């Protein structure tokens, strides 16, 4: 257990380590495309080591200090992918990318409901899966596929990632339509590897671009009303234009970004800058939530990575007023949701988070797990079948989380402890597997309250 002391300021500048979640996608994409990669700035952690072991047999990895040279195994590659037992926000894309390559995929602790849901999602795309038993657990294999169901048809937002992943894994060319802006990490990575992925508007080409932008903003303000946007997507993964090693740069850990930005939003005193933050829409849902609450952020793009732009982020003004959030597609929110709940707990007014029903298919129930942590914190909340309602408050005394929770949850509630009046205790087991320097970082950037200051805060309460 780690004890979290109340903090009175956060200052300095911190550069995020590379994202292990995006590293997993990059390794699988290298395997699927047969394109060798050179990936710098990989810091060894327990999670990275477990990922490296899991991907062994699919790609060969040579490590030179913090740089990985990745070569796909082309002769007798492994057909079983055992996904390490961590929280993976891009789990659906990992699954369908591996299935497209003809691999058997084994996740730990899958519920029958989750497996059935994947079968149903695959069927919508024209893909048939089958269950196989491995190590007394259910793994998934590709049975057959006919993508005619989606050829030149509209694909809903939740299915775009799995479809693109499957096309990449199976080296297919395919056309489909969407009625939304595609925000997906594979969109950037595929083009970086030399594949064609084009998105063209189906609106009248004679329309003025400014007029189209105005229609988009009007539709957004009206919650989807007005003329709908429509795009034709052409994804050609049959041949890559890359025939030699490609050096790619990963953006920073998007989950850690949300956690540290949440910390600064709760404790606004002094200046704090976060570097190497992924800035693409699929990684910045917390930014949208903060802006809705009234917080002002400064964002400066500083680099282009294999997964889009990255840069500097700082908090200029921290207002926290409860808001409603529609968390769809869920993969864009799942890693950031615990941080959003912490912000909502310390905000004025009520916050509502909807469209989380997919989380009920996990073990333990994902919504119930978050609500149990909220109860420990002491925040008032209500349960809905598909979401959570939170009533914000200014002060909490401190709390204890003794369970070994997933890293993104435990770390977010550690941040809540910085804002509490008294001490907080957190089980650090899974935090340290992903971020071994997490608590050292907090000690470096935080100035903690003295015993006298803590006593004065309690008396004011």
């Amino acid at each position: 257990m780690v004890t979290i002391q109340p903090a009175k300021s956060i200052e300095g500048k911190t550069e995020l380590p590379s994202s292990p979640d995006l590293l997993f996608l990059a390794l699988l994409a290298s395997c699927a495309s047969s394109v060798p990669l050179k990936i710098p700035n990989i810091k060894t952690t327990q999670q990275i080591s477990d990922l490296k072991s899991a991907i062994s047999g699919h790609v060969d990895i040579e490590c030179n200090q913090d740089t990985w040279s990745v070569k796909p195994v082309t002769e007798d590659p492994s057909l079983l992918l055992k996904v390490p037992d961590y929280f993976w926000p891009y789990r659906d894309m990992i699954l369908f990318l591996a299935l497209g390559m003809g691999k058997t995929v084994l996740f730990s602790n899958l519920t029958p409901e989750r497996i059935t849901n994947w079968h149903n999602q695959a069927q919508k795309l024209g893909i048939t899966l089958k269950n196989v038993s491995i190590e007394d657990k259910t793994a998934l294999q590709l049975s057959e596929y006919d993508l005619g169901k989606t050829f030149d048809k509209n694909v809903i937002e939740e299915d775009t990632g799995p479809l693109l992943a499957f096309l990449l894994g199976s080296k297919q060319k395919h056309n489909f339509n969407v009625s939304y802006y595609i925000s997906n990490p594979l969109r950037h990575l595929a083009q970086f590897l030399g594949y064609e992925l084009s998105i063209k508007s189906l609106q009248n080409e004679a329309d003025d671009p400014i007029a189209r932008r105005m229609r988009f903003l009007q539709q957004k303000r009206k919650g989807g009303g007005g003329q709908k946007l429509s795009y034709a997507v052409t994804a050609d993964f049959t041949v890559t234009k890359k025939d030699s090693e490609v050096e790619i740069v990963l953006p920073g850990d998007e989950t850690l970004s949300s956690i540290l930005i949440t910390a600064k939003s709760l404790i606004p005193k002094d200046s704090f800058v976060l570097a190497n933050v992924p800035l693409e829409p699929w990684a910045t849902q917390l930014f949208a939530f903060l802006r809705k609450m009234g917080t002002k952020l400064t964002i400066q793009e500083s680099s282009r990575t294999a997964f889009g732009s990255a840069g500097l982020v700082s908090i200029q003004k921290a207002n926290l007023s409860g808001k409603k959030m529609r968390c769809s597609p869920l993969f864009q929110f799942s890693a950031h949701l615990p941080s959003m709940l912490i912000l909502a707990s310390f905000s004025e007014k009520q916050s509502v988070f909807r469209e989380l029903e997919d989380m009920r298919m996990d073990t333990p129930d994902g919504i119930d797990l978050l609500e149990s942590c909220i109860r420990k914190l002491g925040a008032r909340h209500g349960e809905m079948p598909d979401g959570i309602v939170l009533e914000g408050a200014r002060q909490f005394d401190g709390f204890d989380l003794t369970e070994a929770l997933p890293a993104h949850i435990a770390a977010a509630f550690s941040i809540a402890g910085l804002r509490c009046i008294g001490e907080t205790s957190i089980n650090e087991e899974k935090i340290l597997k992903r971020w071994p320097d997490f608590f050292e970082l907090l000690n470096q950037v935080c100035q903690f309250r003295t015993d006298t200051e803590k006593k004065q805060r309690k008396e004011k309460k």
Side-chain angles (χ1 to χ4, degrees):
M1 299 289 289
V2 169
T3 300
I4 307 294
Q5 299 289 345
K8 61 181 179 181
S9 68
I10 295 179
E11 62 179 332
K13 181 178 180 180
T14 296
E15 182 162 346
L16 292 169
S18 298
S19 167
D21 305 311
L22 297 178
L23 174 61
F24 200 167
L25 284 180
L27 295 175
L28 286 176
S30 172
C31 183
S33 62
S34 300
V35 174
L37 300 178
K38 183 179 180 180
I39 312 177
N41 302 321
I42 304 299
K43 184 177 181 179
T44 300
T45 66
Q46 184 62 56
Q47 182 170 355
I48 294 294
S49 296
D50 291 343
L51 173 56
K52 184 180 176 183
S53 297
I55 207 73
S56 175
H58 307 276
V59 296
D60 290 328
I61 299 174
E62 293 184 5
C63 301
N64 182 10
Q65 295 183 341
D66 65 348
T67 299
W68 284 16
S69 293
V70 180
K71 295 181 180 179
V73 175
T74 55
E75 295 185 9
D76 194 25
S78 174
L79 295 180
L80 173 63
L81 177 65
K82 295 176 63 176
V83 180
D85 189 17
Y86 291 92
F87 168 77
W88 302 104
Y90 314 120
R91 178 174 58 179
D92 292 0
M93 283 177 267
I94 291 170
L95 171 69
F96 281 88
L97 181 51
L99 290 173
M101 288 186 276
K103 298 186 183 296
T104 300
V105 187
L106 176 63
F107 287 91
S108 298
N109 303 320
L110 287 182
T111 64
E113 292 81 7
R114 173 65 60 194
I115 294 170
T116 298
N117 184 69
W118 273 334
H119 277 273
N120 293 337
Q121 186 176 36
Q123 283 293 134
K124 288 191 295 180
L125 301 174
I127 301 167
T128 303
L129 308 181
K130 63 180 178 180
N131 297 343
V132 294
S133 180
I134 296 178
E135 300 175 357
D136 295 325
K137 298 179 181 178
T138 300
L140 291 166
Q141 288 181 346
L142 175 66
S143 177
E144 58 184 3
Y145 65 92
D146 177 4
L147 301 178
K149 284 187 176 182
T150 58
F151 189 79
D152 283 341
K153 302 292 194 308
N154 283 315
V155 176
I156 65 173
E157 194 166 8
E158 289 79 1
D159 294 340
T160 302
L163 177 57
L164 287 175
F166 184 81
L167 293 172
L168 173 58
S170 57
K171 298 184 178 180
Q172 298 288 311
K173 181 177 181 179
H174 196 64
N175 298 331
F176 60 96
N177 299 331
V178 297
S179 59
Y180 45 85
Y181 174 81
I182 292 183
S183 177
N184 187 290
L186 290 178
R187 175 179 178 180
H188 300 278
L189 181 61
Q191 294 174 326
F192 211 89
L193 292 174
Y195 289 117
E196 178 189 347
L197 183 56
S198 64
I199 303 172
K200 296 182 179 179
S201 173
L202 294 177
Q203 308 299 123
N204 187 345
E205 294 183 0
D207 283 352
D208 182 84
I210 296 178
R212 292 202 300 270
R213 177 63 178 168
M214 291 299 295
R215 282 201 306 271
F216 172 76
L217 292 175
Q218 289 169 0
Q219 177 188 358
K220 188 174 181 181
R221 283 195 295 268
K222 294 177 182 178
Q227 184 176 353
K228 291 185 177 180
L229 302 175
S230 186
Y231 301 95
V233 181
T234 299
D236 187 351
F237 297 114
T238 54
V239 179
T240 178
K241 300 174 184 177
K242 306 292 185 179
D243 56 5
S244 58
E245 182 182 71
V246 174
E247 181 169 349
I248 70 170
V249 176
L250 300 177
D253 189 330
E254 59 275 49
T255 304
L256 184 57
S257 167
S258 286
I259 290 166
L260 294 178
I261 290 171
T262 294
K264 187 57 189 171
S265 301
L266 295 178
I267 305 169
K269 185 180 178 182
D270 292 329
S271 175
F272 179 70
V273 178
L274 200 56
N276 197 27
V277 178
L279 300 179
E280 297 299 328
W282 48 266
T284 55
Q285 297 299 338
L286 183 87
F287 297 1
F289 185 53
L290 282 170
R291 290 191 180 103
K292 289 180 67 174
M293 297 181 101
T295 295
K296 293 184 178 180
L297 300 87
T298 296
I299 297 174
Q300 179 182 347
E301 182 179 335
S302 59
S303 64
R304 298 291 297 180
T305 76
F307 291 92
S309 61
L312 307 175
V313 176
S314 61
I315 302 293
Q316 296 303 310
K317 184 179 180 181
N319 289 338
L320 299 177
S321 179
K323 296 296 177 182
K324 296 180 180 180
M325 286 296 289
R326 173 182 171 267
C327 302
S328 178
L330 188 57
F331 86 87
Q332 294 183 14
F333 289 84
S334 56
H336 313 286
L337 185 59
S339 295
M340 291 181 182
L341 294 174
I342 296 304
L343 290 168
S345 297
F346 286 94
S347 70
E348 297 180 349
K349 303 180 181 178
Q350 187 182 84
S351 295
V352 181
F353 302 88
R354 303 296 300 270
E355 302 194 36
L356 305 178
E357 58 266 43
D358 181 86
M359 297 173 62
R360 293 211 179 275
M361 300 181 197
D362 294 323
T363 299
D365 181 302
I367 295 178
D368 289 349
L369 179 61
L370 288 172
E371 288 183 332
S372 69
C373 296
I374 293 168
R375 282 193 292 272
K376 294 287 182 65
L377 172 62
R380 294 178 58 191
H381 69 282
E383 181 180 346
M384 299 180 293
D386 71 334
I388 300 173
V389 179
L390 262 171
E391 197 71 42
R394 290 285 190 175
Q395 303 278 7
F396 297 103
D397 289 330
F399 59 99
D400 299 324
L401 287 182
T402 59
E403 182 182 354
L405 297 165
H408 67 302
I409 298 177
F413 279 85
S414 297
I415 295 306
L418 297 176
R419 177 67 183 269
C420 289
I421 296 175
E423 294 182 349
T424 293
S425 296
I426 301 287
N427 187 318
E428 77 278 26
E429 176 184 340
K430 294 189 178 180
I431 296 177
L432 297 181
K433 287 184 177 181
R434 181 168 180 134
W435 305 300
D437 301 331
F438 181 77
F439 296 102
E440 292 178 21
L441 173 60
L442 293 186
N443 288 331
Q444 291 171 4
V445 301
C446 293
Q447 184 176 358
F448 298 100
R449 296 187 182 276
T450 64
D451 291 341
T452 300
E453 290 170 326
K454 286 187 285 186
K455 182 179 179 181
Q456 291 172 346
R457 288 186 77 204
K458 288 183 180 180
E459 291 173 350
K460 285 182 181 180
K461 181 187 177 185

